[in-house]
Amino acid sequence: MNYEAIYHRSQLNWAYAYDKQTLHIRLRSKKNDLTEVTLHSGDKYGWDHTNASTPMKKLASDQLFDYWQGEIQPQYKRTVYYFELHDGTETIFLLEKGFVEQQPDRIYEGLFDFPYLNPIDVMTPPEWVKDAVFYQIFPERFANGDPSNDPEGVLPWGGVPTPTNFFGGDLQGVIDHLDYLSELGINAIYFTPVFEATTNHKYDTRDYFKVDPHFGTNETLKQLVDACHDRGIRVLLDAVFNHSGKTFEPFVDLLANGPDSPYKDWFHIRQWPLEVKDGIPTYETFAFEPIMPKLNTENQAVKEYLLNVAKFWIDEIGIDGWRLDVANEVDHQFWREFRTTVKSANPEAYILGEIMHDSMPWLQGDQFDAVMNYPFTNALLNFFAHGKINTDEFASAIQAQISSYPLQITEASFNLMGSHDTTRLLTLCNGNKERLKLAYLFELTFYGVPCIYYGDEIGMDGGHDPLNRKCMEWDPNKQDLELLAFFQNSIKLRKQYDALRTGELRFIPQDNKQLLVYERWNEVDSFIIIINNSEEPTHCSVAVEQEQWIDIVNDQTLTATSKEVHIEIAAYNYRIIKSLP
Ligand code: CA
């Protein structure tokens, strides 16, 4: 047995409350080393009448490790525990104080401890997000529904985007196309910023309490949110609280009055006067961007101002949550107060942080409900778009992610295939839309909250920004309607079957390293999804218990012979089969 690889601690993703009754306890071991792991647990004040043994299941495996998980519901909400480990020949026990060869008899000494399951401490993302399919809209480029509010010098719809040009997109344009979004099947929209700002992307806020006049008015936003709610579509806005714009009134005052300004503590000044020296501003900013001065969120007045903003749009307009820009550069204490404010205004609000890396410190129940899951995006891009990794490496990357977060975080993660900040997926796939479909199919049959970047569903391409921010194509003759039908159908399947959203997941390794096969199941349904990520048609046989299966995409039935179902699969294609009762 490889002792060095064995790891547990009674915190974070290793021991957590999944809900108000249930604890998940995880243990790591060297890949393919242990054959059996048992969790022994009981109440620390009454071990004798509460103790139980729970076999742990293999939750995931990555390149180096297996991750085991046991689920328990301690009767009195407290538990102490230890592990019994087998590798086929050897048996050993792991306690907090270390490995011991004999089963512990003095159970109160040196065991792991989960002191008490306090309901308020349970990380609980809003229930609705598990069933959400998001659509991301960059408002300047989605649709121009009101030419009367167009910026000066607006260009004809469909031109080449530059960092500074405008095409007149607005909120009325979104209202006008809600039928399209309902037919696509999405039930939530994430808008990049809509507040008054000078740029086309609006990440340089001038006024946090006012919709940009080029997009409409606060009243237009209210109409949009109400119309969305009537259709069961939720709305998330972008909170740019790391920095303001250069035209934000307090910063304008600071520029005018220098150290005498009442707002001097609202920002981080390195040196007076405020200027840019050799490309570096003398005040802190987002990156080195002079038009985006970083806000001092430790300052009480700034904090009150921004928390009022967060509350205002929930109370006045009824939005369903916030996406937080550059969330990892703002202090944790601010986000804790932000959460309290937002959840008291709307307990069901979804708080989504923009963080591109491991995000556990923000996801412990006191700050965010989820983050934008870029590690997921990167694994999918490397496999489906770039062809840089094979099936085993892909499955390994996905399972490493599953094991690194509590399950409820995986279930609420915002999974995206691209955004206004990244090259469009179709471009990364060298224009091969079949590959794009496979990536989105995986996203739509995985845990979490899938998001579609506007226009991906009709075949829009585009390089890094600003080229990924083209005007939405509304001419049906120029839309890829076959692709659109794929999205409509895949979203429909996801909504129809719980197992595709929240069911258990298991990868089934294949000899063909371009063939991805995985199961998703719950008490009701059982699915096998087969994805051929290569230019060669292929086939595979999958061991199954059930005899009758149906391909839910083309309604073909399949019969297993000798407990194996045999599947033919075309180049860059997929099958989703479901067992029949
Ligand atoms: Ca307009």
Side-chain angles (χ1 to χ4, degrees), residues 310-311 314 322 337-347 349 351:
K311 193 169 148 47
I314 293 175
W322 288 104
E337 292 183 40
F338 176 87
R339 183 183 183 87
T340 306
T341 302
V342 166
K343 296 283 179 175
S344 26
N346 176 3
I351 302 176

Side-chain angles (χ1 to χ4, degrees), residues 27 116 159 171 185 200 342-343 448 452 512:
L27 176 125
Y116 196 88
L171 300 182
N200 55 28
V342 166
K343 296 283 179 175
I452 297 158
N512 178 345

Side-chain angles (χ1 to χ4, degrees), residues 498-561:
D498 285 358
L500 295 177
R501 305 192 298 276
T502 55
E504 294 196 46
L505 170 89
R506 186 175 76 95
F507 289 95
I508 306 172
Q510 301 292 311
D511 292 335
N512 178 345
K513 298 302 178 199
Q514 296 308 319
L515 190 61
L516 180 70
V517 182
Y518 54 102
E519 289 177 280
R520 297 228 59 194
W521 74 94
N522 60 13
E523 293 97 20
V524 185
D525 291 308
S526 186
F527 292 91
I528 300 173
I529 296 137
I530 307 104
I531 295 179
N532 179 9
N533 190 36
S534 83
E535 54 192 15
E536 300 296 331
T538 187
H539 55 86
C540 69
S541 296
V542 182
V544 290
E545 288 300 318
Q546 307 89 330
E547 195 181 331
Q548 292 299 324
W549 293 78
I550 184 162
D551 182 322
I552 57 168
V553 180
N554 62 19
D555 277 340
Q556 248 175 30
T557 52
L558 294 92
T559 305
T561 46

Side-chain angles (χ1 to χ4, degrees), residues 144 146 149-150 168 170:
N144 187 354
D146 181 2
N149 62 21
D150 288 357
D170 51 40

Side-chain angles (χ1 to χ4, degrees), residues 7-54:
Y7 182 75
H8 173 78
R9 71 189 302 186
S10 44
Q11 290 152 29
L12 305 172
N13 51 315
W14 302 99
Y16 63 90
Y18 175 65
D19 56 33
K20 288 171 185 166
Q21 292 83 36
T22 313
L23 295 183
H24 288 173
I25 308 285
R26 293 178 182 172
L27 176 125
R28 189 190 78 184
S29 63
K30 185 184 173 190
K31 191 171 187 167
N32 297 328
D33 187 22
L34 301 187
T35 52
E36 209 181 311
V37 182
T38 305
L39 173 69
H40 297 281
S41 61
D43 193 281
K44 62 185 161 189
Y45 303 117
W47 177 271
D48 290 343
H49 63 273
T50 57
N51 80 85
S53 300
T54 310

Side-chain angles (χ1 to χ4, degrees), residues 160-393:
V160 178
T162 70
T164 53
N165 60 10
F166 290 87
F167 294 94
D170 51 40
L171 300 182
Q172 186 60 47
V174 182
I175 295 173
D176 295 345
H177 288 95
L178 288 177
D179 280 346
Y180 170 84
L181 295 176
S182 289
E183 282 160 28
L184 176 59
I186 61 98
N187 54 18
I189 303 174
Y190 150 46
F191 286 99
T192 55
V194 297
F195 307 137
E196 187 175 30
T198 67
T199 55
N200 55 28
H201 52 70
K202 312 292 176 199
Y203 278 99
D204 60 321
T205 317
R206 185 206 306 267
D207 186 342
Y208 286 90
F209 286 99
K210 183 179 168 197
V211 165
D212 191 286
H214 298 147
F215 288 173
T217 61
N218 290 11
E219 186 49 37
T220 329
L221 182 61
K222 174 80 178 136
Q223 284 165 16
L224 169 59
V225 171
D226 288 347
C228 284
H229 287 172
D230 287 345
R231 293 163 180 265
I233 296 175
R234 288 184 162 89
V235 176
L236 213 68
L237 295 186
D238 207 322
V240 190
F241 288 178
N242 174 66
H243 53 268
S244 72
K246 204 177 178 174
T247 56
F248 180 48
E249 219 171 282
F251 195 72
V252 171
D253 191 275
L254 197 62
L255 285 174
N257 300 311
D260 298 328
S261 165
Y263 297 106
K264 73 178 165 48
D265 297 326
W266 279 47
F267 300 90
H268 302 267
I269 313 305
R270 289 198 192 97
Q271 202 187 320
W272 300 98
L274 301 184
E275 58 185 350
V276 180
K277 277 194 200 161
D278 303 325
I280 313 281
T282 57
Y283 49 96
E284 292 181 23
T285 56
F286 168 67
F288 294 105
E289 180 50 71
I291 70 161
M292 295 177 176
K294 183 170 168 64
L295 287 158
N296 179 9
T297 43
E298 288 185 31
N299 177 279
Q300 194 55 32
V302 173
K303 215 174 350 188
E304 277 168 22
Y305 177 89
L306 294 176
L307 295 179
N308 276 334
V309 172
K311 193 169 148 47
F312 174 82
W313 295 98
I314 293 175
D315 288 347
E316 300 299 318
I317 307 293
I319 65 164
D320 302 284
W322 288 104
R323 179 265 190 188
L324 313 171
D325 191 51
V326 200
N328 52 351
E329 297 188 20
V330 176
D331 60 278
H332 292 280
Q333 191 52 44
F334 176 81
W335 290 134
R336 289 189 189 102
E337 292 183 40
F338 176 87
R339 183 183 183 87
T340 306
T341 302
V342 166
K343 296 283 179 175
S344 26
N346 176 3
E348 289 300 299
Y350 182 40
I351 302 176
L352 169 66
E354 182 201 22
I355 301 187
M356 301 205 176
H357 301 272
D358 185 9
S359 306
M360 203 62 230
W362 291 269
L363 293 171
Q364 294 180 49
D366 59 342
Q367 295 166 64
F368 307 163
D369 294 314
V371 295
M372 300 181 86
N373 197 356
Y374 279 102
F376 168 92
T377 317
N378 294 338
L380 268 70
L381 295 182
N382 283 331
F383 182 59
F384 292 111
H386 308 311
K388 272 194 210 158
I389 56 174
N390 68 28
T391 310
D392 292 348
E393 292 163 318

